[in-house]
Amino acid sequence: MSYIADRRQEEKDRRRNEIVDAAESLYRELGWEAVTMDAVARKARLSRALVYVYFKDKSELLLAITERAMEVLRTRFEEAGARARMGIDQIEAMGRAYMAYGLEFPHYFDACARLELRASDPAERGPVEAAVFQMGMKVHDVVVASLEAGQRDGSIRADVGDLQVTSRVLWGFTHGLTQIAITKAGPLAEAGISVTQLTQQAIAMIRYTLAGTARPLAD
C-alpha cells in the first residue's frame, strides 16, 4: 500500500509542477496580468477543472511561482557567499547577486515584489502561502549567517543592531535599487548615470554602513 501511495503522490507532484511550469512560462513571456487560469490549462495541456484541483485561484498559483523564485534566490545567495571569505564581502556578493538575479529573472523579481505588497495574517495563511514565507525566512537566514560571520571576523560592526532586522533593511535597500535598475535605466542615462554607477555607489554605502575594523585578508 505504501508503494501505491508513493506513486500517487509522485503523480500529484508531477502534475502540480507541470501546472506551475506552464504558469511560469506564461508569466515570463506575457507578464502576470496577462496570465489566466484558462491559458495555464492550455499551456499545461490539462483541463481547467484539473488546474483548479491543485490551485484554488490565480493568486495561489502566483504564490507557488514565488516560492520557486525565493528558492532560486536562496541558492544564488549561498553560492555568492561561498565565494567570499569575510562576512562583509559575503554581504556585498549577495547584494550584487540580488541585482543580477533581478535582471536575469525579471518575472521572479516581479513575483517577489508582489509578495511584498501582500498583506497577510500568519494565522490565516494556507499551506501554499506558508511555504512561500518559510522560504523567505531561509533566504534571510543565509544573509544573517553572513552578518554573524562578519561580526566574528571583525569586518562588520558589532553594534549594527538586530541582525534579523538588518537583513530586512538590506533587502529593502537592494530590492529598491534593483527595481530602479530594471525600470529606470532610461531616465538614469538622461541624468548621466549608468546602472553600473548606481550599483557601485549602493555597494559602497552598504559597506560604509556595515564596516567594522578588520581589513580584508590577503590572497
Side-chain angles (χ1 to χ4, degrees):
M1 292 298 292
S2 177
Y3 171 77
I4 295 173
D6 288 345
R7 287 297 299 271
R8 286 176 177 169
Q9 186 59 50
E10 287 175 4
E11 177 62 20
K12 287 181 179 179
D13 292 343
R14 182 183 66 80
R15 190 61 55 81
R16 185 182 189 277
N17 283 332
E18 288 175 350
I19 294 169
V20 179
D21 286 343
E24 183 181 335
S25 178
L26 291 168
Y27 192 172
R28 186 170 53 247
E29 294 169 13
L30 306 173
W32 188 245
E33 299 303 332
V35 176
T36 65
M37 296 296 270
D38 284 342
V40 171
R42 288 194 299 271
K43 186 78 171 178
R45 298 182 179 180
L46 300 171
S47 70
R48 185 171 182 270
L50 186 57
V51 172
Y52 277 105
V53 168
Y54 287 87
F55 297 97
K56 67 180 182 181
D57 54 26
K58 181 179 169 180
S59 176
E60 192 169 85
L61 189 50
L62 176 60
L63 287 170
I65 295 172
T66 308
E67 183 184 1
R68 283 187 176 184
M70 292 286 190
E71 186 171 10
V72 171
L73 183 59
R74 177 179 61 83
T75 299
R76 291 297 177 94
F77 276 12
E78 289 174 341
E79 292 171 348
R83 292 192 291 267
R85 286 180 290 178
M86 301 192 77
I88 197 165
D89 295 324
Q90 293 172 19
I91 294 299
E92 175 178 338
M94 289 176 199
R96 293 183 183 277
Y98 189 45
M99 297 189 78
Y101 164 91
L103 295 170
E104 184 178 354
F105 304 108
H107 67 296
Y108 278 168
F109 182 83
D110 182 68
C112 291
R114 289 172 184 269
L115 182 67
E116 298 304 316
L117 297 174
R118 185 184 181 96
S120 174
D121 182 345
E124 297 178 359
R125 289 174 188 162
V128 179
E129 188 172 9
V132 175
F133 279 88
Q134 185 62 36
M135 187 58 69
M137 291 292 292
K138 291 180 180 179
V139 174
H140 284 293
D141 286 345
V142 177
V143 178
V144 169
S146 289
L147 290 169
E148 290 173 340
Q151 288 186 329
R152 288 194 300 271
D153 65 33
S155 63
I156 291 177
R157 291 165 40 195
D159 64 347
V160 75
D162 186 294
L163 298 186
Q164 289 288 343
V165 176
T166 302
S167 179
R168 272 71 178 177
V169 171
L170 291 171
W171 176 285
F173 184 63
T174 311
H175 183 89
L177 284 164
T178 304
Q179 194 163 40
I180 291 172
I182 291 172
T183 63
K184 302 297 183 182
L188 285 171
E190 290 178 14
I193 302 170
S194 69
V195 170
T196 299
Q197 286 176 301
L198 187 76
T199 302
Q200 292 300 111
Q201 183 71 7
I203 294 299
M205 291 179 69
I206 289 172
R207 291 189 70 102
Y208 180 80
T209 300
L210 297 177
T213 58
R215 295 182 178 273
L217 298 174
D219 292 331

